[in-house]
Each structure stands twice: as structure tokens, then as C-alpha cells.
Amino acid sequence: MMQHHLIGKSVLLVEDDPKIRNLVKIYLIKEGYEVIEAINGFDAKEKIEQLDPCILILDLMLPGVNGEKICQWVREDLKSMMPIIMLTAKVSEKNRIQGFKMGADDYVTKPFSPAELMVRIEAVLRRTASRCGKLSFTGFTIKPAKGEAWIKRERLELTHFEFKLLHMFMQHPGQVLSREQILSFIYENHEKEVSNRTIDVHIKHLRGKIREKTPKDYIQTVRGMGYKFVAQ
């Protein structure tokens, strides 16, 4: 399994071959990633704009808009430094060099080992962490160093405490977190005495701000246990 800090990251997998797509998806889910799928270039562009994933796994031979054009669009039009790993059957050195010139971070030729692809994804994310510095999951994107948060490209105006709560939830998707665990995540050294009631109030405010942007309830109360952040 990967390091815990990678859990809760979204991967956009752009591949028109369903067998390859499903196989890679199984490996990604096993490693703790959220998988967003696209089967052609138009679909990929829409999902990049809407969900701003952490990394793009991009097949070059796509129907409609091909992978080279998607890569060029991400780098030149969006001005995004989103990590990109290209998947292709083109094995010549010239093709690889062209891919890197377009802005790819890595290049994997078909047929490939899904296990090796997982290692390459981890390496690219580690290498680009300072460049990208973001966490993206279920439509939410946050930049911890800047204290900025968005949902589907709409800015969330959060207090420091609300931001820390959202960051914590995104790092532990699908897990029920007790109020005591939330306190220990937010205040690692328990330097402040904060009551369970205070946690509830901050979560209520965070939920309210999220609901202003979307009707979905991402933070669920688990009666008698705590709270859970769920993908929709």
C-alpha cells in the first residue's frame, strides 16, 4: 500500500479501452485513490475543468480530441501544472521526446504492468508535490500551504478551523471519525481545550458553506460515533 498521505487523492483516468481502464481502476482503488473516468478527449476536458484532479493518466490514442491536444490544452490554455502520465503504444524515442516536450511528467508504453504504473504515479506525485501542492477529492480541491479551498471550481470562504476540518476529512474519506479523533487531528498536541460541542458547531458551519455551493451532503453524522466524509 502507498503512504497514507496519498490517500484521498483523485486520479482522472482517460482511456477508451474498457479492459485497460477497468484493470487500472482496480489497482488505483486498491491503493486508496478516487478514480474519475473519461473515455474520450471531450469527456476528459469537461472533467478536468469541473473536478481539477490531482493527476491525469492520459491515453494518447483517443477518439475525438487526442491525448496530445489534451496535454497541450492543460499546459497552454489552463496554465495548469497538473501532473500528467501518458499511456501509449507509440514506443519510438521521437514519440517519447515529443510527449515530454508537450509537458508530460512520465511516459508509459503499452503493454504495461499496472503495478509498475502505480509506482510511477506515486513517484510523479511525490516529485510534483511542491509544484502542485494540492489535494483533490470528490470535487473538492484544497491547497494546504495557501489555505485555499474550492468545490467544483467555486471558491469556499472558510475560517482557519473550517479549512483544517475539510483538509482532515479529505485525508480520511469514508472513515467514521469520532469527535476525539477530530480533536487530535486538528490540535495534535491538544494545546487548546476544545469541547465536542465546539467541534459540532464548526462542522455545522462548514456544512452550511458547502451547501451554499451544492445540495449534496458530503459530511454525514454517524449517530453515536462521529462524522464521515463521503464521495457522492
Side-chain angles (χ1 to χ4, degrees):
M1 286 292 288
M2 288 187 181
Q3 295 298 312
H4 183 259
H5 68 276
L6 292 180
I7 300 300
K9 288 204 167 184
S10 57
V11 177
L12 176 57
L13 175 59
V14 190
E15 169 62 69
D16 62 323
D17 184 324
K19 286 185 180 175
I20 295 173
R21 196 171 65 248
N22 290 334
L23 181 62
V24 173
K25 181 182 178 181
I26 287 165
Y27 274 78
L28 285 166
I29 290 170
K30 188 178 165 190
E31 293 292 347
Y33 293 102
E34 176 190 30
V35 183
I36 305 159
E37 297 176 75
I39 58 171
N40 58 51
F42 297 111
D43 193 18
K45 286 176 84 168
E46 191 177 295
K47 283 171 179 168
I48 290 166
E49 285 193 306
Q50 187 183 28
L51 301 172
D52 194 21
C54 285
I55 186 166
L56 181 57
I57 312 300
L58 181 63
D59 182 31
L60 291 190
M61 303 292 284
L62 292 167
V65 183
N66 66 29
E68 280 105 336
K69 288 198 174 116
I70 295 287
C71 186
Q72 200 171 15
W73 173 75
V74 167
R75 295 290 183 250
E76 293 178 12
D77 293 7
L78 290 187
K79 302 284 191 288
S80 171
M81 297 306 289
M82 175 192 303
I84 298 173
I85 297 179
M86 290 183 169
L87 302 179
T88 182
K90 296 177 181 177
V91 292
S92 75
E93 182 184 44
K94 183 182 174 186
N95 289 133
R96 282 202 303 276
I97 289 169
Q98 187 182 359
F100 286 123
K101 278 184 175 176
M102 281 178 186
D105 293 279
D106 203 353
Y107 206 97
V108 178
T109 53
K110 297 177 179 179
F112 59 88
S113 151
E116 183 191 343
L117 177 60
M118 296 306 112
V119 173
R120 285 179 180 243
I121 291 169
E122 183 182 4
V124 167
L125 282 172
R126 201 165 49 232
R127 197 166 70 236
T128 59
S130 60
R131 186 179 88 196
C132 299
K134 71 178 183 186
L135 184 66
S136 184
F137 187 80
T138 199
F140 290 88
T141 301
I142 63 170
K143 295 188 176 180
K146 294 185 176 181
E148 295 174 353
W150 296 265
I151 177 165
K152 296 186 178 176
R153 299 281 186 172
E154 283 200 67
R155 181 77 179 262
L156 284 166
E157 298 296 338
L158 304 178
T159 64
H160 177 67
F161 203 104
E162 290 160 1
F163 182 86
K164 288 182 86 171
L165 278 172
L166 180 60
H167 189 189
M168 177 210 63
F169 279 127
M170 287 175 67
Q171 288 177 306
H172 301 86
Q175 294 180 35
V176 179
L177 301 172
S178 69
R179 290 170 179 82
E180 290 71 27
Q181 285 176 306
I182 293 169
L183 276 171
S184 70
F185 287 129
I186 301 297
Y187 295 119
E188 290 175 16
N189 303 315
H190 294 284
E191 72 270 23
K192 289 190 180 182
E193 286 297 319
V194 182
S195 70
N196 285 346
R197 174 72 186 135
T198 305
I199 293 284
D200 293 342
V201 169
H202 283 297
I203 288 176
K204 182 183 175 185
H205 289 162
L206 175 59
R207 273 174 164 162
K209 289 180 180 180
I210 292 169
R211 282 199 186 115
E212 285 173 11
K213 310 291 184 186
T214 173
K216 295 174 181 175
D217 190 9
Y218 290 91
I219 301 168
Q220 296 183 354
T221 303
V222 182
R223 200 170 293 280
M225 295 177 71
Y227 295 96
K228 181 167 72 168
F229 183 69
V230 294
Q232 296 287 334

